[in-house]
Amino acid sequence: MNRRSFLTLVAGVGTSSALAGCAALFDASIPGELEDVEPDADQLPTPTVGGGDVAIDVYEDFACPSCQEFEADAFPELEQRLLEPGEATYRHYDFPLPVEDESVPMANAARTVQAATGTDDEPSGRFFKYKRAVMNADDWSDERLADIGEAEIGIDRNIVLDGLEEGTYYPTLAADWNRGDEHGVDRTPTVLVDGEEVDDPLDVDEIVSAVENAA
């Protein structure tokens, strides 16, 4: 699978800012796998990092190159500057776009790992570690997604394979997608700080400033 096959649109706005992200050629629409799924926002807890009063809500598609860039470059800096000091709470929401066939399976696999590793004290489990490993991979086949779970997380690969075969967490993905749609999300990544969208989701300084202004 070639990552470049995912359509990336970068649109300039005015002379001083730009919106970068992945989007379909048409208005964002829910992937076919989720169309007839009954959303269930209570099936799994929202994966979170940090415990600050200001919420950073991030809508992502695992297969989106801009989301991979955000995960590699922006997230570690946000973790250092905002999450570890307790200035904000980061919340992950899935917003798969109907462009790459792997988008929904990748998100479903990550939620399967979350469910298998989460506890009452750590409801996100190993979700974020698995997410990073998957985004760094070049092969997103079901077998590879299962292998990553075993190699990086230490869980039985059959747990991931069963989750993929059964579409176990499609209700969670559908609920996240609908939530994003209600908030006007139409590309990934989209970053909302205290409910307000930042112009450039890859600009960490802009996100930090938005958090400081919302505090």
Side-chain angles (χ1 to χ4, degrees), residues 144-165:
R144 180 61 180 143
L145 293 174
D147 288 342
I148 292 171
E150 186 171 68
E152 300 290 338
I153 309 300
I155 66 172
D156 187 335
R157 65 193 308 278
N158 288 318
I159 293 175
V160 174
L161 289 174
D162 288 345
L164 287 165
E165 182 178 358

Side-chain angles (χ1 to χ4, degrees), residues 197-212:
E197 183 176 352
V198 301
D199 289 333
D200 184 353
L202 301 180
D203 186 338
V204 174
D205 288 338
E206 182 181 350
I207 297 172
V208 171
S209 178
V211 169
E212 292 172 348

Side-chain angles (χ1 to χ4, degrees), residues 28-77:
S29 59
I30 194 165
E33 303 99 308
L34 304 179
E35 281 184 348
D36 298 322
V37 173
E38 184 67 28
D40 185 356
D42 297 321
Q43 186 183 27
L44 278 179
T46 299
T48 62
V49 179
D53 292 336
V54 179
I56 303 173
D57 293 340
V58 182
Y59 291 83
E60 294 180 277
D61 182 319
F62 277 67
C64 165
S66 293
C67 294
Q68 293 156 12
E69 181 179 354
F70 179 92
E71 176 67 19
D73 298 333
F75 178 77
E77 191 172 349

